Amino acid sequence: MSGPAITPLRTPGRAPRVLTIDAEDWFHVCGDDYYSDPRRWDAFPSRFERTFVSLLDRLDRGAHRATVFFLGWIAARHPDLVREAARRGHEIALHGDLHRRADELSPEEFREDLRRGAERLEKASGARAELYRAAEWSIRSPEDPALSVLAAERFRADASMTSMPPLGRPENLLGPHRVETASGPLVEVPPLTGRGFGRRVPAGGSWAFRVLSPERVALSEASYRDRGHPAVFTFHPWEFDPEHPPMEGLAAVTRLVHFAGRRRLPQRFDAWLSEERCVSLGEAIAELRAA
Ligand SMILES: [Zn+2]
């Protein structure tokens, strides 16, 4: 069995808490016959501006720094909000153009989506994004050809790969690592996970952060950070929207991910933010050393 060479990386000492935001609107779900079709998106009522700005306001209170992964589609429609996030000190990164799962695209299609998203984001921000996250953790393993495309397109880091089945392979590393792709090196930083129901489960955002007890999330976070693994948390502006449009006909799993525990999120999130200052992914990567 041979794959790309992998070097585990760690933070010397205790690793930081990392905040990431996937900047997308409420209808940007994956794999749905109705909502995932970009030809429909401009007809949906956008909730992005108000939910995104209110999330940025929450972060201002504690001088938190986040990495914001923008869809190119969003950057093209809200270039002012890309600049606003940068002006407030956040790191601008790419979430692809049209929120397609990476493993459902050929390497050529993946490259095309990546380039288009990167161009739209650069046009809005004036700078090239160097960090990437695929929709729905859809880079599955270090052998995935998407990593090589990312390196060839001058991305230096990716945050798309988890070891949580069924999204990622259980043998994927829990902590950050450098992957030597055919097109050059790339730093991979996986999201925070924990143990539950006898298996690995998410702990750093989305439904898990909303549904699991704060104590359980804190235990997972401590176990990562004590080992020198940055604890990467991820949130979406639509999770905080009290007027989120109802979504008829969603598959049960998508519905759970989208809606479970949302009522308690704002208060829980603010309490979590007040515990300590979050840093961006770029800041956390700068501290990593070969383990
Ligand atoms: Zn997304």
Side-chain angles (χ1 to χ4, degrees):
M1 186 182 130
S2 78
I6 289 172
T7 311
L9 304 171
R10 59 181 292 279
T11 316
R14 193 158 196 258
R17 173 187 277 186
V18 176
L19 177 56
T20 68
I21 296 168
D22 290 354
E24 58 191 47
D25 218 325
W26 60 274
F27 44 82
H28 288 127
V29 298
C30 287
D32 185 82
D33 288 345
Y34 184 72
Y35 290 106
S36 305
D37 185 345
R39 291 170 299 187
R40 289 204 172 89
W41 291 351
D42 278 315
F44 291 128
S46 175
R47 306 278 308 158
F48 182 72
E49 176 160 9
R50 72 192 81 187
T51 53
F52 184 62
V53 171
S54 110
L55 182 50
L56 291 184
D57 289 346
R58 288 191 134 87
L59 304 186
D60 281 351
R61 284 174 224 141
H64 300 280
R65 291 283 176 270
T67 297
V68 186
F69 291 96
F70 280 93
L71 286 181
W73 189 90
I74 286 282
R77 281 155 184 80
H78 302 280
D80 50 325
L81 295 180
V82 176
R83 288 191 289 274
E84 179 61 15
R87 191 188 68 75
R88 297 197 199 195
H90 301 300
E91 181 172 48
I92 305 303
L94 184 66
H95 194 34
D97 189 39
L98 294 178
H99 213 244
R100 306 278 306 277
R101 290 184 188 122
D103 69 335
E104 292 174 356
L105 303 173
S106 69
E108 292 70 32
E109 290 169 328
F110 179 74
R111 187 190 309 273
E112 203 175 298
D113 183 85
L114 190 67
R115 281 190 178 164
R116 186 168 164 79
E119 278 165 19
R120 288 170 139 183
L121 189 54
E122 183 169 2
K123 201 171 164 200
S125 71
R128 258 198 78 77
E130 297 183 319
L131 276 59
Y132 177 79
R133 169 176 290 151
E136 243 182 37
W137 316 108
S138 56
I139 295 183
R140 311 297 182 188
S141 76
E143 289 80 33
D144 199 310
L147 292 182
S148 175
V149 174
L150 282 168
E153 295 295 315
R154 293 182 289 145
F155 282 81
R156 66 183 177 91
D158 174 66
S160 310
M161 201 196 299
T162 177
S163 53
M164 271 177 309
L167 297 175
R169 296 207 192 135
E171 63 269 27
N172 291 349
L173 293 184
L174 285 186
H177 47 284
R178 187 168 54 237
V179 182
E180 304 298 336
T181 81
S183 308
L186 198 69
V187 173
E188 181 67 41
V189 188
L192 176 64
T193 62
R195 300 292 305 179
F197 316 108
R199 47 174 274 194
R200 192 146 287 284
V201 296
S206 192
W207 67 269
F209 186 91
R210 305 189 305 253
V211 169
L212 300 178
S213 73
E215 293 73 26
R216 195 134 146 222
V217 172
L219 279 176
S220 301
E221 178 180 359
S223 93
Y224 264 55
R225 295 175 64 188
D226 291 346
R227 278 182 282 173
H229 297 171
V232 178
F233 287 83
T234 302
F235 299 92
H236 305 82
W238 49 257
E239 292 183 82
F240 296 84
D241 188 357
E243 295 167 59
H244 192 303
M247 298 175 82
E248 304 301 334
L250 276 189
V253 172
T254 315
R255 175 163 294 279
L256 170 85
V257 168
H258 222 76
F259 290 103
R262 271 208 358 226
R263 257 179 241 284
R264 63 170 80 104
L265 178 63
Q267 187 253 334
R268 192 177 267 199
F269 183 72
D270 287 345
W272 177 82
L273 279 183
S274 71
E275 292 169 3
E276 67 175 276
R277 188 175 164 273
C278 300
V279 305
S280 69
L281 195 58
E283 288 172 271
I285 290 172
E287 291 178 13
L288 293 174
R289 302 288 177 265

